[in-house]
Each structure stands twice: as structure tokens, then as C-alpha cells.
Amino acid sequence: MPIISRGFHGRRSPSQEKLPPGQYETTGFPVLAAGPTPRVPTDDWELTVVSESGTQHTWDWPALNALPAESPTVDLHCVTKWSKFNTQWQGVSLDVLMADVRTEAEHVLVSSYGGYTTNVPLTDLLDGQAWIVFAYDGHPLAPEHGGPARLLVPHLYLWKSAKWVRRFELRETDEPGFWESAGYHNYGDPWREQRYRGD
Ligand SMILES: Nc1nc2c(c(=O)[nH]1)N[C@H]1C(S)=C(S)[C@@H](COP(=O)(O)O)O[C@H]1N2
Ligand SMILES: [Mo]
């Protein structure tokens, strides 16, 4: 078999460099959800972090908005193979929310209004890798995309970015979420193309 050299195909363009294996770029913003869109008024909205000892930290909407916000610009990668580059968000880093939470746990089960769940290692939510976002492209986050607030953890496939996020449960044992229980990969790194269990 002849070996086709890299030069034969030419250099990868800058946007291809941003594309994980098996993905294509889209400029639209598809809406994907496993169920109906929950409508959560900000008056009723709460976010809770519960540690393995049962200690709870809860933020209501004014409390979330009082925290220092960041404006991350990130690429999104959906397991259905679309990627969207340079999306602009506003939100609070998980580092800020977790600052006062004492835990030895390594696993997090994230759950949403409407019942969706997904699991993420705690280390993947820290060190500037994840946010609770409430604005997209300069506007309040639309309900279809998870408003009033969603998790954004862009270095993993987008199913880990729980829309309508409500609760983070810190756990000593890992507990698969909705898609992870349905045969998707437990971790979901787009650069290692971890789409399904066993990838
Ligand atoms: N609560 C909730 N969050 C969710 C989902 C869902 O069904 N429910 N779908 C996930 C999947 S599979 C993807 S690809 C993204 C889609 O986000 P978008 O609709 O803003 O593009 O949300 C993720 N977060
Ligand atoms: Mo997805």
C-alpha cells in the first residue's frame, strides 16, 4: 500500500485545525433536547451544589448575578457531528461557585429542570473549563438553548453542557447520566472521538 504523504493533501486550513475528527463546521445553532423545553422564571430559578456529606450551597437568580462574570469565547462540538466555532457567552466560572464548597468527591452528577442528567469528573469543571452561562451572543440565553442558565463545558461533547441546569451532586462514586446510560461515552472527549461506550 502506498503511503500518502501529508503534503499530498496540502496543509489543513486554520478552521480545520479547530475541527475534531469526524466533525463538520456549521454556522447555524441547532437546538437539541431530549424532551420539551422547561420554562423556568428567574424568580423561581435556583442552582444547588450538594456535597457528598449533604451540605448544600444554593444560589438564586440575584445571587448568581451578583457573582463576577466572565465572557468566554469557545468552540462547541456536538456528538451528532456539528461543531460551531467562536461562540460568545457570559456566565460565572464554576471555580467561583465551587470556591466555598468543601469536598473530596471526584464525580459530579449534573441535573436539570425537566429531569435531564449528565455526569462529569469534578476536575473537568474547574480551572477555567466550565461556566454557568446566562447570555449568548450578547443577549439573555433563549429557553431553547437552556435559558435562563445552562452549564457550558466546551472541551467535552455538548451533551455534557446541561441546559436548564439546576443541581450539581458531588459524589464519591460515578453515576452515568441520561445519554451515558443510553450507550454514549462516559467521558466524551471530542478530540479522542469518544462518542459511544467503548470508543
Ligand atoms: N437539559 C438538557 N440539556 C441538554 C440536552 C437535553 O436534552 N436536556 N441535550 C444536550 C445535547 S445532546 C446537546 S447537543 C446540547 C444542545 O445544545 P443546544 O440546543 O443549545 O444546541 O444540549 C445538551 N444539554
Ligand atoms: Mo448532542
Side-chain angles (χ1 to χ4, degrees):
M1 286 283 280
I3 294 168
I4 299 169
S5 76
R6 186 162 185 268
F8 184 80
H9 292 291
R11 282 180 187 282
R12 279 164 69 83
S13 71
S15 74
Q16 283 173 316
E17 304 274 351
K18 283 158 63 78
L19 213 48
Q23 298 290 110
Y24 65 87
E25 185 188 356
T26 183
T27 52
F29 195 171
V31 171
L32 285 99
T37 294
R39 307 279 161 167
V40 189
T42 51
D43 280 354
D44 302 337
W45 184 91
E46 276 187 352
L47 178 68
T48 296
V49 174
V50 56
S51 75
E52 69 275 28
S53 66
T55 307
Q56 299 204 6
H57 294 65
T58 297
W59 295 264
D60 61 10
W61 193 252
L64 181 77
N65 282 271
L67 296 172
E70 298 178 2
S71 301
T73 297
V74 299
D75 300 340
L76 308 179
H77 308 295
C78 175
V79 74
T80 63
K81 301 200 168 178
W82 57 268
S83 290
K84 183 172 176 58
F85 295 151
N86 301 321
T87 61
Q88 299 187 344
W89 304 84
Q90 228 183 306
V92 176
S93 170
L94 262 289
D95 295 314
V96 173
L97 294 172
M98 291 297 298
D100 294 332
V101 177
R102 287 171 164 272
T103 183
E104 303 278 308
E106 291 175 14
H107 308 280
V108 185
L109 184 64
V110 186
S111 53
S112 298
Y113 291 94
Y116 184 81
T117 55
T118 188
N119 55 318
V120 187
L122 178 58
T123 51
D124 285 83
L125 296 178
L126 302 178
D127 295 325
Q129 298 186 95
W131 298 267
I132 302 296
V133 290
F134 44 74
Y136 170 73
D137 220 6
H139 300 283
L141 183 57
E144 291 74 21
H145 286 297
R150 78 183 294 170
L151 175 62
L152 180 66
V153 49
H155 70 287
L156 301 176
Y157 280 125
L158 198 55
W159 88 74
K160 299 285 186 179
S161 292
K163 305 198 279 189
W164 316 294
V165 65
R166 169 182 211 163
R167 183 178 164 94
F168 291 85
E169 186 182 326
L170 302 167
R171 300 175 49 94
E172 279 156 1
T173 56
D174 199 9
E175 171 80 13
F178 179 79
W179 287 116
E180 295 84 5
S181 303
Y184 282 80
H185 198 276
N186 195 55
Y187 182 63
D189 180 351
W191 295 97
R192 287 186 276 168
E193 212 171 352
Q194 294 173 337
R195 298 179 192 276
Y196 306 106
R197 189 182 300 149
D199 282 351

